Amino acid sequence: MKQSFYLKLTLLFMIVGMISSCKGTKEQQDNYANILTFKPGEEAKIEEAFLSIKDSTSILLQEGNYKFDNLSIVQVKHILIHGEGHDKTVLNFSSQTQGGEGIRVTDVKGFTIENMTIRDSKGDLLKISNSSDVKVANLHALWSQADSTSGGYAIYPVLCKNVLVENCYTEGSSDAGIYVGQTDGAIVRNCKAAKNVAGCEIENTSNAEVYNNEFYNNTAGILIFDLPDLSKRGGKVKVYNNNIYDNNFRNFAKSGSFGTSWGVGNASPGSGIIILAASDIEIYDNKITGNNTAAITIASGFATDDKAAEKINANYSPISKNIKIHSNKLEMGPEFPKPAFEHRIGQVLVATQEQLNKLDPNRKFKRIPLIVYDGFSSNVLTKGTALNPDSICINQPEENLFVNADFQNVAKPENWKPNTDSAPFQCK
């Protein structure tokens, strides 16, 4: 009798859940004037629906596998593209004969895409540009192979305003799994990324928060970059409550656009977080472990380009400034990952450990410290002598915490003197 009661109760909960789910979907669709539904086998109709889409349209792609060359949406408002779940609705672009991106969205105000998997395009999987009020949720974006044949970005909002990326998973990107570029107002939360060159990249983006994510088994967990010759300057980025671990994967960035002196090709395998030429950054309450080249790297544009000063303008400065690092858990393993020995910047960091231990016999065989600062400060530009002119503030309890790697002199071994004096960089 009791068993029968529990069975009935379980069935009741299941029915209520199904009703709630259907009600939620209906309420969501009721917000749109045009509601379209498609099933596998109707790809030609779907492509036409995307191209001719009108304001206030919801498109549901029912469960199943779809094959496309590409899909494009341009210059509309209030759009919802959704599937029935990342494990149910799958869009495959592996047979592309034209177009780089899988899905391209341009100049859309109020765009949501959710509840599906997109995979294996020749270029970026999902590119959203010049759009506002963008939401990407419960989306899996991946390539079958994690190598230079993969597209650059899996989820790629650029030149946007007010972006939310949540509950997503990316894999196999030859640049960044989740990339937010030249955008004002962005949140990346509750996402996972693995086997990308960078799990997440925030580039020339302002007012961004990255939290409650899990980035693992990438070349680098998170990149916060400001690069030259772009439309805007980044800053005011907070990274917190993330689990960033075991990012020791080989760097398989493409040559050319992805592997230039400014590209993600410079990220050494074994990097937790890299800050490059960025300002007003706060890194706190993260668990950053098992990234065996450096837990956190603070670098300038000069680390990768000796002509970085020539690129200074209103949108770019090569010096990282106003960096706060506190209350994180930082740990590294006993040795560099093998791919670091085959990587240009990785080799410099290996040499930094060797030089540091050579200069200080008391270190013996200690690992490179957890936080690596390249040593390029605004003194390079101003001829100043302040020990910490750029307000780098570190409040961490770990031992073997910090090294000023003195990259300015790395090419002159007789003058190269990395040191572990963290006193000028401790938060006051």
Side-chain angles (χ1 to χ4, degrees):
M1 193 75 174
K2 184 181 290 186
Q3 187 175 9
S4 175
F5 169 76
Y6 284 126
L7 179 59
K8 290 178 180 178
L9 189 62
T10 300
L11 288 171
L12 178 62
F13 283 139
M14 290 174 64
I15 292 168
V16 170
M18 290 172 65
I19 292 172
S20 298
S21 175
C22 292
K23 182 180 178 183
T25 300
K26 186 178 186 305
E27 287 177 351
Q28 189 178 34
Q29 289 186 336
D30 284 347
N31 292 324
Y32 295 85
N34 308 292
I35 299 173
L36 305 176
T37 301
F38 297 98
K39 63 181 182 295
E42 297 182 323
E43 281 84 346
K45 292 181 179 179
I46 296 167
E47 291 173 1
E48 178 58 30
F50 272 60
L51 288 172
S52 61
I53 199 166
K54 298 178 180 178
D55 290 351
S56 191
T57 294
S58 164
I59 294 179
L60 171 64
L61 302 180
Q62 294 179 328
E63 179 177 354
N65 295 309
Y66 299 78
K67 293 183 179 180
F68 296 105
D69 260 2
N70 53 71
L71 296 168
S72 182
I73 296 175
V74 180
Q75 293 183 331
V76 281
K77 301 176 182 177
H78 195 42
I79 302 299
L80 169 64
I81 308 298
H82 60 135
E84 296 190 323
H86 69 80
D87 56 341
K88 295 179 179 179
T89 300
V90 179
L91 280 58
N92 192 316
F93 297 91
S94 61
S95 59
Q96 276 183 325
T97 58
Q98 60 181 357
E101 293 89 4
I103 302 174
R104 179 187 296 178
V105 178
T106 307
D107 193 15
V108 176
K109 295 178 173 63
F111 176 77
T112 297
I113 183 168
E114 61 187 12
N115 298 329
M116 64 180 67
T117 288
I118 56 177
R119 60 181 306 136
D120 293 325
S121 60
K122 288 182 170 58
D124 308 314
L125 274 165
L126 171 63
K127 182 176 181 180
I128 305 168
S129 61
N130 296 99
S131 298
S132 60
D133 300 321
V134 172
K135 179 181 178 182
V136 183
N138 302 304
L139 181 79
H140 286 206
L142 48 92
W143 283 272
S144 300
Q145 300 292 327
D147 58 32
S148 60
T149 64
S150 301
Y153 305 114
I155 298 172
Y156 180 19
V158 61
L159 297 166
C160 291
K161 186 174 179 62
N162 298 331
V163 170
L164 171 62
V165 181
E166 65 177 354
N167 300 313
C168 294
Y169 174 75
T170 67
E171 181 178 314
S173 307
S174 63
D175 196 299
I178 300 169
Y179 170 99
V180 184
Q182 300 176 72
T183 288
D184 183 36
I187 292 174
V188 178
R189 66 187 180 197
N190 302 320
C191 294
K192 295 183 179 182
K195 292 186 179 180
N196 307 282
V197 175
C200 177
E201 182 174 357
I202 306 298
E203 184 177 289
N204 292 70
T205 288
S206 54
N207 301 302
E209 296 189 30
V210 180
Y211 61 90
N212 293 347
N213 301 288
E214 190 173 345
F215 300 130
Y216 57 95
N217 200 26
N218 306 284
T219 302
I222 300 177
L223 308 181
I224 308 168
F225 283 12
D226 263 20
L227 302 187
D229 304 321
L230 296 178
S231 66
K232 72 180 297 295
R233 191 168 184 170
K236 297 183 180 178
V237 178
K238 292 185 177 182
V239 176
Y240 58 94
N241 291 342
N242 299 287
N243 190 4
I244 305 163
Y245 63 95
D246 298 343
N247 291 289
N248 300 301
F249 204 71
R250 70 187 186 280
N251 190 317
F252 56 95
K254 295 180 180 181
S255 60
S257 60
F258 297 125
T260 63
S261 62
W262 293 102
V264 73
N266 287 299
S268 174
S271 298
I273 297 176
I274 302 176
I275 301 166
L276 176 68
S279 300
D280 302 308
I281 311 300
E282 187 173 12
I283 311 293
Y284 62 99
D285 291 339
N286 300 285
K287 185 178 180 183
I288 308 172
T289 60
N291 309 286
N292 293 332
T293 296
I296 300 174
T297 301
I298 306 168
S300 71
F302 292 106
T304 58
D305 183 358
D306 58 8
K307 296 183 179 180
E310 298 174 11
K311 299 176 174 68
I312 294 174
N313 57 34
N315 292 329
Y316 176 72
S317 169
I319 305 298
S320 291
K321 299 178 181 178
N322 301 326
I323 311 297
K324 294 182 179 179
I325 300 171
H326 62 90
S327 309
N328 302 284
K329 179 181 179 181
L330 307 179
E331 292 179 357
M332 284 201 304
E335 57 188 11
F336 286 96
K338 289 182 179 179
F341 292 92
E342 302 166 358
H343 185 270
R344 183 175 65 88
I345 298 296
Q347 291 169 353
V348 174
L349 293 168
V350 170
T352 299
Q353 175 178 290
E354 294 173 350
Q355 182 76 346
L356 188 61
N357 292 351
K358 176 182 176 182
L359 294 172
D360 182 0
N362 293 323
R363 289 182 56 86
K364 294 184 178 179
F365 302 107
K366 280 188 178 181
R367 285 301 322 276
I368 190 170
L370 294 155
I371 298 175
V372 176
Y373 171 46
D374 72 354
F376 283 102
S377 73
S378 56
N379 290 337
V380 174
L381 304 174
T382 65
K383 308 301 181 184
T385 58
L387 295 178
N388 183 13
D390 303 308
S391 300
I392 293 172
C393 164
I394 300 172
N395 186 4
Q396 291 285 149
E398 291 85 0
E399 295 182 358
N400 196 26
L401 177 66
F402 173 88
V403 59
N404 179 336
D406 189 28
F407 275 15
Q408 189 171 1
N409 292 307
V410 71
K412 304 173 183 177
E414 67 278 9
N415 297 329
W416 186 25
K417 296 180 180 179
N419 70 87
T420 59
D421 182 10
S422 63
F425 306 95
Q426 292 176 355
C427 298
K428 305 300 182 183

